[in-house]
Amino acid sequence: MFKDFPLIKESKNAVTQFYPHIPKNAVKAIKKVFSGRWIGQGPLVDKLEVVFSKRFGNNMPSVAVGSWTDALHLAYILAGINKGDEIICPVFTCTATNIPLLYIGAKIKFADINPNTFNIDILSVKKLITKKTKAIVFVNYGGLPCDLTELSNIAKKNKLLLIQDAAQSLGSTYKKKPITYYADFTIFSFQAIKQISSGDGGMLVVKNRSLVKKAKRIRWFGIDRLAKQGGTWENDIKEIGYKYQMTDIGAALLLESIKEFKKINGYRKIIFNTYKKILSKNRNITIIDSKKDTGHAHWLFTILTDKKDYLQKKLRKIKIETNQVHFRNDRYSIFKKFIKNKVFKNMDKVEEKYLVLPVHTKMKVSDAVFVAQQINKIIPN
């Protein structure tokens, strides 16, 4: 149960689960940073925020930070979440989605998943709303957007904030609009194995422009960096801040990666669709796939099978790396106080059945064909 296998050793015939994408001009871009004055937060971070907003943020302001978790924590602060506030969150996600709420002392109310998409279940969300609810946090699992229209309607009706964890869904669209269009706050990840990476890093896209100056102060100890130049003591620190800024080294990597994003995303889609074409004919395999009106980011390819453990062990023997990647959060001790014997029926049904296959730009299409064919041999139709 929930066995996370160790990483396999890289070799000529091994197919690894993840592999970082490094842009072709990365070394040149970083050398340029190293030859200049700014290696910490400097002009390239400012440039990245503008470029990112235009490319992915629906022209809403973007704030670059040191990690995805930094961006989530910053969003929760800007949302005005305080100790004791009730926040509806997905039970199935990376723990980093929910851990920053523990920093604040908020009360987490876990929602079940939709077993067809692994995204947050709309009916579960509706049942959890009370007068104390302040926000709904949701994740677009594997790059597949949630039902953003329905979530927007629920939030509007109940006067709640929508906080979108888009760590896995860079480039996703919903009803032909960027996913940032639908949420008050959207958080992206540039951790090592995401579609584009700065080694680690994050981006917060904010719908309310009046919050941007505050976001940038909190990112840097609560200090207004521009006002500071007018005199240190005239620029008082009035709010608790953190050291959450991104560096120009990371920004250089990301700017080069954004130039290649169309190619990166297109290639991941080819790998995804190769699996889909071969495995969709197998009645013993269910594919977690995109739905109508959704533009998938193709970060994960997830299948469901009653023989998950058997399949994973067999694939390991032929050097194909697979894992479950994320696990239900209600089983972790740090979240136990929020559970109180609550049952998550949909999560219970799939927790032993899902498996994530390799998708990355280091793979060849022939690798995806091989993986899919081996799965069909191990679990025949």
Side-chain angles (χ1 to χ4, degrees):
M1 181 178 181
F2 295 123
K3 185 172 182 181
D4 206 14
F5 283 87
L7 299 179
I8 63 174
K9 292 182 179 179
E10 287 186 55
S11 66
K12 184 178 179 181
N13 298 321
V15 183
T16 59
Q17 177 120 56
F18 297 110
Y19 210 100
H21 178 88
I22 305 299
K24 62 181 180 180
N25 290 325
V27 174
K28 181 180 178 181
I30 291 174
K31 278 185 176 180
K32 189 174 180 180
V33 174
F34 285 159
S35 66
R37 179 180 180 184
W38 297 96
I39 61 171
Q41 182 186 342
L44 284 187
V45 172
D46 295 337
K47 181 180 179 180
L48 172 66
E49 290 172 341
V50 173
V51 170
F52 191 89
S53 290
K54 290 180 180 178
R55 179 65 178 81
F56 302 107
N58 199 40
N59 289 313
M60 293 189 287
S62 298
V63 181
V65 291
S67 75
W68 162 44
T69 311
D70 294 348
L72 278 162
H73 187 206
L74 191 55
Y76 295 156
I77 293 169
L78 295 172
I81 296 172
N82 296 308
K83 185 176 181 179
D85 286 341
E86 291 183 1
I87 312 298
I88 297 172
C89 303
V91 73
F92 181 66
T93 179
C94 174
T95 53
T97 304
N98 297 317
I99 285 176
L101 290 168
L102 302 183
Y103 304 166
I104 297 169
K107 183 178 180 181
I108 295 171
K109 300 191 76 175
F110 284 123
D112 205 351
I113 67 166
N114 180 324
N116 298 316
T117 63
F118 280 32
N119 284 329
I120 200 166
D121 181 68
I122 298 298
L123 291 177
S124 183
V125 169
K126 289 180 177 179
K127 290 177 182 178
L128 292 171
I129 296 172
T130 72
K131 292 181 179 179
K132 295 181 180 179
T133 306
K134 192 155 192 175
I136 301 170
V137 178
F138 64 95
V139 177
N140 302 314
Y141 174 77
L144 173 60
C146 295
D147 187 339
L148 298 180
T149 298
E150 188 64 24
L151 283 171
S152 297
N153 290 338
I154 292 169
K156 186 176 181 180
K157 179 180 177 181
N158 294 280
K159 297 181 180 179
L160 303 176
L161 292 169
L162 272 186
I163 302 174
Q164 178 170 218
D165 180 344
Q168 304 179 15
S169 50
L170 182 67
S172 290
T173 58
Y174 184 79
K175 294 186 176 179
K176 298 182 180 180
K177 293 180 181 178
I179 54 174
T180 50
Y181 173 84
Y182 297 90
D184 296 287
F185 303 94
T186 301
I187 300 93
F188 294 94
S189 173
F190 308 128
Q191 183 258 352
I193 56 175
K194 293 303 188 294
Q195 291 99 321
I196 62 174
S197 173
S198 51
D200 207 346
M203 188 73 77
L204 171 62
V205 177
V206 183
K207 182 172 283 188
N208 185 347
R209 293 178 180 273
S210 69
L211 293 174
V212 175
K213 286 185 177 180
K214 181 177 180 179
K216 292 185 176 182
R217 290 196 304 271
I218 295 172
R219 176 178 65 178
W220 204 66
F221 303 115
I223 298 171
D224 186 326
R225 291 178 64 157
L226 291 176
K228 181 175 180 290
Q229 295 171 14
T232 301
W233 303 121
E234 287 76 12
N235 179 38
D236 194 9
I237 300 174
K238 299 177 182 179
E239 57 209 337
I240 296 172
Y242 302 85
K243 196 174 190 298
Y244 281 174
Q245 74 270 29
M246 182 180 283
T247 69
D248 267 23
I249 300 169
L253 271 173
L254 290 168
L255 285 165
E256 292 302 321
S257 296
I258 289 172
K259 293 176 185 177
E260 298 183 4
F261 184 76
K262 186 176 180 180
K263 182 179 177 181
I264 295 166
N265 198 41
Y267 192 74
R268 296 180 73 96
K269 184 177 181 179
I270 290 171
I271 298 296
F272 190 101
N273 286 337
T274 300
Y275 284 141
K276 183 178 173 180
K277 182 178 179 180
I278 298 172
L279 294 174
S280 60
K281 299 173 184 177
N282 191 328
R283 289 174 295 179
N284 295 312
I285 299 289
T286 299
I287 298 168
I288 303 299
D289 195 11
S290 57
K291 304 299 179 184
K292 186 180 179 181
D293 293 330
T294 60
H296 205 299
H298 308 104
W299 189 63
L300 296 178
F301 188 93
T302 304
I303 61 172
L304 290 168
T305 171
D306 291 332
K307 298 181 178 180
K308 191 273 295 182
D309 290 343
Y310 174 75
L311 174 61
Q312 189 174 17
K313 289 175 184 177
K314 287 288 187 180
L315 292 174
R316 281 275 160 161
K317 288 182 178 179
I318 51 176
K319 297 182 179 179
I320 296 172
E321 188 175 57
T322 62
N323 263 314
Q324 290 191 301
V325 182
H326 297 309
F327 303 95
R328 56 190 299 170
N329 281 198
D330 62 312
R331 297 289 176 87
Y332 292 106
S333 296
I334 56 172
F335 298 121
K336 286 292 184 183
K337 64 182 179 180
F338 303 116
I339 305 306
K340 295 181 181 178
N341 300 317
K342 182 171 175 133
V343 176
F344 301 95
K345 293 181 179 179
N346 294 336
M347 190 73 246
D348 293 343
K349 289 178 183 177
V350 302
E351 66 176 335
E352 295 289 348
K353 298 180 181 181
Y354 69 94
L355 193 64
V356 178
L357 307 186
V359 179
H360 52 79
T361 56
K362 287 287 184 179
M363 290 179 67
K364 298 176 182 177
V365 175
S366 58
D367 292 329
V369 172
F370 175 70
V371 172
Q373 288 177 341
Q374 292 306 308
I375 291 172
N376 282 338
K377 284 182 182 179
I378 296 166
I379 305 178
N381 190 9

